Amino acid sequence: MEPPPAKYGGRHTVTLIPGDGIGPDLLNHVREVFRFSCVPVDFEVVNVNSALETDDDMNNAITAIRRNGIALKGNIETKHTMAPSVKSRNNLLRTSLDLYANVMHCQSLPGVQTRHKNIDIMIIRENTEGEYSSLEHESVSGVVESLKIITRNNSLRIADYAFKLAREKGRRRVTAVHKANIMKLGDGLFLQCCREVASGYPDITFDSMIVDNTTMQLVSKPHQFDVMVMPNLYGNVVSNVCAGLVGGPGLVPGANYGNAYAVFETATRNTGKSIAGKNIANPTAMLLASCMMLDHLKLYDHATMIRHAVLKTMNETRLHTADIGGQGTTSEVVQTIMRIIQSGGQLTTEL
């Protein structure tokens, strides 16, 4: 998809949804870094109150994204104690805007101590159906049916997205993750669609793996994976395993793409409620998500400048937050990133 064109003297307007937990703090730091780095982006802030049972806030957010074409968001808490009629706001956002592809690039980062080194896996997750169709009912008392929807159209679409991305990024292998040995019709259809699409990409090796074996292989021999494509729930599980492999939820960015809109966030979609307001959250994932957003807007120079400063802070200054074994605060990390940007000689505002 093409990004929305710049308006008003070459500036872009982006919808900003702070979300819950650490979302508002981290997004304030993103705004601080953008302002300091003279990034030509203006944010339209739309607050979504997760405590409300009505969808008014969410509808406002969706309208704003339709208007601007692009958004950066924190995770909106979904309380499982609420009435079954209250749908996950994050899920509603993805289905309403048909953001069918969730993309996460799981890459070992310099300076972060992990068991496995040099991991470089791309996860493509179908984002609009599967187990997250929100179709549940209690047919008789004590018996709940929860419907998993797999469609040929959406399976072909996500498989094609994965193979196109693999070719574009010079990748060699695509692995489809499934449970077709048990769900012969549902996951069988998904796997069949992946095979059909694979036949059109003879330059890329295609294989498939059952989801339970996939999680074991990931933690024991992760280097065998290149690009992975899977239905919704498996994508959620596998992306969290992969984030853990490279250092945790504070490090990995994620993106949700449709044909018309794009929404950027942290890959594992945690609210981080327990550490909110303590100035100890790792700002890396949200800053790298904002860099993915800048790449999408074709503001490549700004994206590269901020990404370089984030990675240099981790690797050379070794200033780490508590989640990766350090003692640095969120604001100390962000200040260091801005100092590195300034030392690069780019046009900046005052610190």
Side-chain angles (χ1 to χ4, degrees), residues 104 106 121-125 177-178 209-216 218 225 228-245 268:
M104 168 184 172
C106 219
I121 303 170
M122 297 198 82
I123 297 169
I124 316 301
R125 166 187 174 187
V177 178
H178 66 93
M209 193 177 281
I210 293 171
V211 62
D212 36 355
N213 183 32
T214 303
T215 53
M216 181 179 68
L218 272 168
F225 297 106
M228 305 171 80
V229 62
M230 61 207 80
N232 212 331
L233 177 63
Y234 311 151
N236 199 346
V237 175
V238 168
S239 59
N240 275 264
V241 172
C242 282
L245 285 176
T268 59

